[in-house]
């Protein structure tokens, strides 16, 4: 009898174990099945985007060496094309530049037409410059470029900027320009239009909105002895970049300061329209400042400099524009091309 009880108990325990195991399996199997369907994924950058980010890193690394000049070449950066420019001064310039890149830990710049543009002794480009219209807009790269290259901007005024008939809601077409009494200089259709720039291959009309704007500011604040000719001569004597590639806003700021004018820190904008920047401008303008300004007039075009002198009660931005203002009495209403210009940078200036 005792033996029978032991056998029955063993069988009962075994049955209970089987029931427990089956119950556990049923409760867990759906979750296990669902988990098995989850496949880990990784965010992989597209090959071209990886290449562009790598190129941007190389450019940023090279910025610490700019500007550089020796007896063979001059090395500098162009913010408009986001390229490094090598001006060849001797026949051995390119070979010496390659040696220099190796010595300074920048060997990837050698023979890299995506990043480096060469200008020969006659200042003609020997490698095609980067065409912004063929590049997809990448906000990450553009944002890095603005802030990592802060203070090194350039302009290129030989662009055919489109105009727009779109108007702000508070704008009327028969607005009368405010009377400021400042001196105006046009970069084109003027006695200075054919003034050669220091590199000899471009003139004021083609790429001179920077010095033309500086000339208007200095003549208005310091006297009519300043004009585009005297300003171009100052750029040349100080070794400032002024060529078909444009000019640097940092050089304009430096020149204005050296002549005794006061300037503010840079105001940096992310290609913003007039209604987005007007409040920032107005605070300074109400305190007596005017603005040396850099903006774009088409989506993928180069930058253009002009001088913002006033904002009216309805938010219209009035400026002495060396290119677009040449056919009418200054200042002109820059809002007439809304949503352009797209503002990129400005600094205040006053006497």
């Amino acid at each position: 009898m005792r033996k029978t009880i032991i056998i029955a108990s063993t069988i009962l325990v075994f049955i209970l174990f089987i029931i427990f195991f089956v119950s556990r399996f049923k409760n867990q199997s759906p979750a296990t099945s669902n988990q098995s369907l989850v496949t880990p994924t990784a965010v992989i950058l597209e090959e071209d985007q990886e290449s562009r980010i790598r190129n941007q890193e190389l450019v940023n690394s090279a910025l610490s060496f700019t500007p550089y000049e020796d007896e063979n070449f001059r090395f500098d950066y162009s913010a408009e094309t986001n390229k490094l420019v090598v001006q060849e001064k001797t026949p051995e310039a390119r070979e010496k530049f390659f040696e220099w890149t190796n010595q300074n830990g920048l060997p990837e710049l050698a023979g890299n037409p995506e990043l480096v543009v060469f200008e020969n002794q006659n200042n003609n480009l020997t490698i095609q410059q980067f065409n912004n219209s063929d590049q997809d807009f990448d906000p990450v790269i553009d944002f890095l470029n603005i802030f990592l290259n802060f203070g090194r901007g350039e302009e290129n005024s030989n662009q055919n900027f489109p105009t727009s008939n779109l108007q702000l809601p508070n704008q009327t077409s028969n607005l009368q320009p405010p009377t400021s009494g400042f001196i105006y200089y046009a970069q084109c259709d003027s006695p200075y239009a054919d003034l050669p720039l220091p590199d000899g291959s471009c003139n004021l009309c083609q790429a001179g909105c920077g010095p033309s704007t500086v000339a208007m500011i200095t003549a208005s604040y310091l006297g009519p002895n300043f004009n585009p000719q005297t300003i171009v001569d100052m750029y040349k004597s100080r070794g400032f970049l002024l060529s078909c590639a444009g000019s640097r806003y940092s050089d304009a700021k430096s020149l204005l300061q050296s002549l005794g004018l006061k300037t503010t820190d840079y105001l940096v904008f992310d290609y913003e329209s007039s209604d987005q920047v007007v409040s920032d401008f107005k605070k300074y303008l109400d305190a007596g400042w005017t603005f040396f300004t850099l903006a774009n007039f088409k989506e993928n075009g180069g930058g253009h400099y002009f001088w913002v002198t006033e904002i009216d009660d309805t938010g219209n931005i009035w400026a002495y524009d060396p290119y677009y203002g040449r056919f009418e009495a200054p200042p002109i209403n820059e809002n007439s091309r809304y949503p352009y210009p797209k503002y990129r940078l400005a600094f205040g200036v006053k006497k």
Side-chain angles (χ1 to χ4, degrees), residues 61-62 140 142 145 173 215 281 311 331 333:
S61 297
V140 175
D142 197 65
N145 189 43
S173 59
F281 278 167
I311 294 177
N333 183 8

Side-chain angles (χ1 to χ4, degrees), residues 105-317:
L106 300 170
E108 293 176 272
L109 294 182
N112 190 337
E114 293 184 3
L115 299 181
V116 180
V117 172
F118 288 92
E119 294 183 358
N120 61 25
Q121 288 177 295
N122 295 321
N123 296 294
N124 296 318
L125 293 181
T126 56
I127 296 180
Q128 184 65 35
Q129 285 198 14
F130 191 79
N131 187 345
N132 285 328
S133 62
D134 295 333
Q135 180 192 31
D136 293 332
F137 176 72
D138 189 327
V140 175
I141 297 298
D142 197 65
F143 184 84
L144 287 172
N145 189 43
I146 290 174
F147 288 96
L148 291 175
N149 304 326
F150 187 72
R152 301 194 56 78
E154 300 178 2
E155 57 84 15
N156 189 334
S157 61
N158 56 353
Q159 304 286 334
N160 294 318
F161 298 122
T163 59
S164 171
N165 293 324
L166 293 175
Q167 296 181 341
L168 287 170
N170 60 359
Q171 181 184 342
T172 59
S173 59
N174 59 352
L175 287 174
Q176 294 299 315
T179 303
S180 59
F182 293 135
I183 294 176
Y184 177 78
Y185 291 118
Q187 69 181 91
C188 299
D189 301 294
S190 75
Y192 301 101
D194 295 326
L195 177 65
L197 301 183
D199 75 340
S201 57
C202 280
N203 58 35
L204 192 78
C205 181
Q206 294 170 314
C209 57
S212 297
T213 301
V214 172
M216 290 188 287
I217 295 172
T218 52
S220 298
Y221 285 142
L222 302 176
N225 290 334
F226 292 96
N227 56 53
Q229 176 71 71
T230 59
I231 297 302
V232 167
D233 290 343
M234 288 182 179
Y235 269 69
K236 183 177 181 179
S237 66
R238 300 177 187 214
F240 291 164
L241 176 66
L242 183 53
S243 66
C244 295
S247 60
R248 290 187 289 252
Y249 54 76
S250 56
D251 288 341
K253 191 173 192 289
S254 175
L255 179 56
L256 292 169
Q257 289 174 331
S258 71
L259 295 173
L261 295 176
K262 300 175 183 177
T263 64
T264 68
D265 291 334
Y266 295 106
L267 278 68
V268 180
F269 307 107
D270 189 14
Y271 293 86
E272 298 172 29
S273 56
S274 60
D275 50 317
Q276 295 173 295
V277 304
V278 66
S279 60
D280 291 326
F281 278 167
K282 191 164 179 56
K283 294 174 185 177
Y284 286 89
L285 289 165
D286 289 345
W289 297 92
T290 56
F291 279 99
F292 182 96
T293 308
L294 172 64
N296 276 37
F297 282 74
K298 67 177 182 179
E299 189 65 29
N300 295 309
H304 175 61
Y305 292 125
F306 51 94
W307 184 26
V308 173
T309 58
E310 190 166 341
I311 294 177
D312 63 26
D313 293 337
T314 56
N316 292 295
I317 297 177

Side-chain angles (χ1 to χ4, degrees), residues 50-120:
E50 287 181 331
S51 175
R52 289 170 62 188
I53 291 176
R54 175 56 182 158
N55 284 346
Q56 186 64 44
E57 290 174 348
L58 287 172
V59 170
N60 293 335
S61 297
L63 285 177
S64 60
F65 295 92
T66 60
Y68 172 82
E69 185 171 6
D70 61 22
E71 67 276 9
N72 294 298
F73 65 88
R74 176 179 171 81
F75 177 61
D76 211 337
Y77 170 74
S78 169
E80 288 307 311
T81 60
N82 194 30
K83 282 200 171 187
L84 300 157
V85 180
V86 179
Q87 295 176 331
E88 299 174 275
K89 298 164 62 176
T90 66
E92 299 81 21
R94 194 168 305 197
E95 180 181 350
K96 295 296 183 182
F97 171 72
F98 293 157
E99 293 177 1
W100 180 84
T101 58
N102 287 325
Q103 293 169 359
N104 290 279
L106 300 170
E108 293 176 272
L109 294 182
N112 190 337
E114 293 184 3
L115 299 181
V116 180
V117 172
F118 288 92
E119 294 183 358
N120 61 25

